[in-house]
Amino acid sequence: MPTNMPILYHCTMKAQAVLLLAICLFSAASFPKPAHLVHNKRYALLVVGHQEDGTAKAMSEMDSIAKLFEKNGIGVFTFYDATATWEKIVKAAPKCHFFVYSGHGTRLGSDGSPGGLCITSRISSSYIQENLRLKENALVLFKSVCMGAGSSAGDTADIGLTEAKNRVAHYAQPFMAIGAAGYYANNYSGGVHGFIVDFLGGMTMGDAFAQSVYASLSIELDEPYEFDKAKRICLSSSPGGNKYVLTTYANGKKTTKEGISPKGYDIAYVGNPNFSVSDME
């Protein structure tokens, strides 16, 4: 896929007052507040699936996203590589307003359509819909996931806008079905990070998507989402024509070959274009 582009027993009355104040301050700092007084902090769930010799880089890039969330006061749960088990992810998910996935794409959607996660086990779209629960109006972000934004690393020719839309629509579907407000996918290095900066900075989803579409790209699709007409599906495309190296793995064996990139579909979103961070629970 494109990559360029955290006691005194005796004392005076004055000393008693000081002691009482110190005890009160200690108590306030040492014991949890009642549930009704606790601020509803937001959380992000970050998942990196195994990506062969690209795993270390993927984890490093996800760590940068983790630091970005933490800088904005958002708590982070990270599950990388061997720790990315479905049981742990499902347990943490109900607290989370953001779900970020980096890993292989797969065709574990309905009837062999694109969908699912490749973590320590392969998780289908139906299993996501049945078992995963995020905060209402959560935002799902896919970072360099084959077919997540349309294109796949294995594409050797233009897949066409219809197929690109089909891939994005089906990948987003289980998350929309469990109450997510938005789905965003970007295959460019730093693309998801930049989108999060803009979104947390107050941009709407539609504006943050448009901001992430570089000058050499074009927004090729903007229409109602087939599984929920109240939302929109938008895709951008690149003209292709650049030299690239295709890396594939089969039975643990790595092969590479050079080629010319076809027209690509590498940034997409599904959701209400007016959705913003202020709409989150």
Side-chain angles (χ1 to χ4, degrees), residues 143-199:
K143 180 186 176 302
S144 301
V145 179
C146 282
M147 300 183 288
S151 286
S152 169
D155 297 335
T156 57
D158 179 10
I159 61 172
L161 186 60
T162 299
E163 174 61 15
K165 180 181 76 170
N166 177 68
R167 291 178 177 185
V168 174
H170 281 88
Y171 242 117
Q173 188 275 326
F175 299 104
M176 298 295 104
I178 64 172
Y183 167 95
Y184 175 83
N186 191 312
N187 296 330
Y188 291 99
S189 179
V192 168
H193 188 284
F195 178 88
I196 295 170
V197 169
D198 291 335
F199 185 76

Side-chain angles (χ1 to χ4, degrees), residues 48 82 150 222 247 260:
V48 176
D222 183 352
T247 302
I260 301 297

Side-chain angles (χ1 to χ4, degrees), residues 7 16 20 62 70 85 104 106 150 171 184 206 224 240 256 281:
I7 303 174
Q16 286 177 339
L20 179 59
M62 193 67 87
E70 290 170 339
T85 66
H104 288 303
T106 184
Y171 242 117
Y184 175 83
T256 61
E281 183 179 318

Side-chain angles (χ1 to χ4, degrees), residues 234-258:
C234 299
L235 279 73
S236 77
S237 65
S238 59
N242 300 314
K243 289 184 178 180
Y244 78 112
V245 176
L246 174 64
T247 302
T248 58
Y249 296 85
N251 299 318
K253 183 179 180 180
K254 174 182 176 180
T255 59
T256 61
K257 69 176 182 178
E258 294 184 352

Side-chain angles (χ1 to χ4, degrees), residues 53-244:
D53 54 3
T55 307
K57 181 181 179 181
M59 291 191 296
S60 176
E61 291 178 347
M62 193 67 87
D63 280 342
S64 295
I65 291 175
K67 291 176 183 177
L68 173 60
F69 278 125
E70 290 170 339
K71 180 180 177 181
N72 283 272
I74 296 168
V76 173
F77 296 97
T78 58
F79 300 104
Y80 295 174
D81 200 8
T83 69
T85 66
W86 185 237
E87 293 76 18
K88 292 178 181 178
I89 292 167
V90 167
K91 184 177 180 179
K95 295 182 68 173
C96 297
H97 304 75
F98 300 89
F99 177 88
V100 189
Y101 170 66
S102 171
H104 288 303
T106 184
R107 287 185 174 273
L108 292 176
S110 59
D111 300 320
S113 63
L117 308 173
C118 291
I119 46 177
T120 56
S121 56
R122 289 162 60 86
I123 305 301
S124 68
S125 290
S126 62
Y127 215 59
I128 292 172
Q129 189 167 333
E130 291 167 7
N131 296 276
L132 189 70
R133 293 296 177 266
L134 299 165
K135 280 288 189 181
E136 190 73 15
N137 288 334
L139 178 59
V140 175
L141 303 111
F142 270 33
K143 180 186 176 302
S144 301
V145 179
C146 282
M147 300 183 288
S151 286
S152 169
D155 297 335
T156 57
D158 179 10
I159 61 172
L161 186 60
T162 299
E163 174 61 15
K165 180 181 76 170
N166 177 68
R167 291 178 177 185
V168 174
H170 281 88
Y171 242 117
Q173 188 275 326
F175 299 104
M176 298 295 104
I178 64 172
Y183 167 95
Y184 175 83
N186 191 312
N187 296 330
Y188 291 99
S189 179
V192 168
H193 188 284
F195 178 88
I196 295 170
V197 169
D198 291 335
F199 185 76
L200 294 181
M203 277 192 187
T204 63
M205 188 165 194
D207 286 345
F209 164 76
Q211 179 73 13
S212 68
V213 177
Y214 308 106
S216 61
L217 311 180
S218 24
I219 297 176
E220 189 146 339
L221 179 78
D222 183 352
E223 66 181 36
Y225 178 48
E226 61 184 284
F227 297 115
D228 182 351
K229 300 297 184 181
K231 295 181 173 67
R232 301 194 71 79
I233 180 170
C234 299
L235 279 73
S236 77
S237 65
S238 59
N242 300 314
K243 289 184 178 180
Y244 78 112

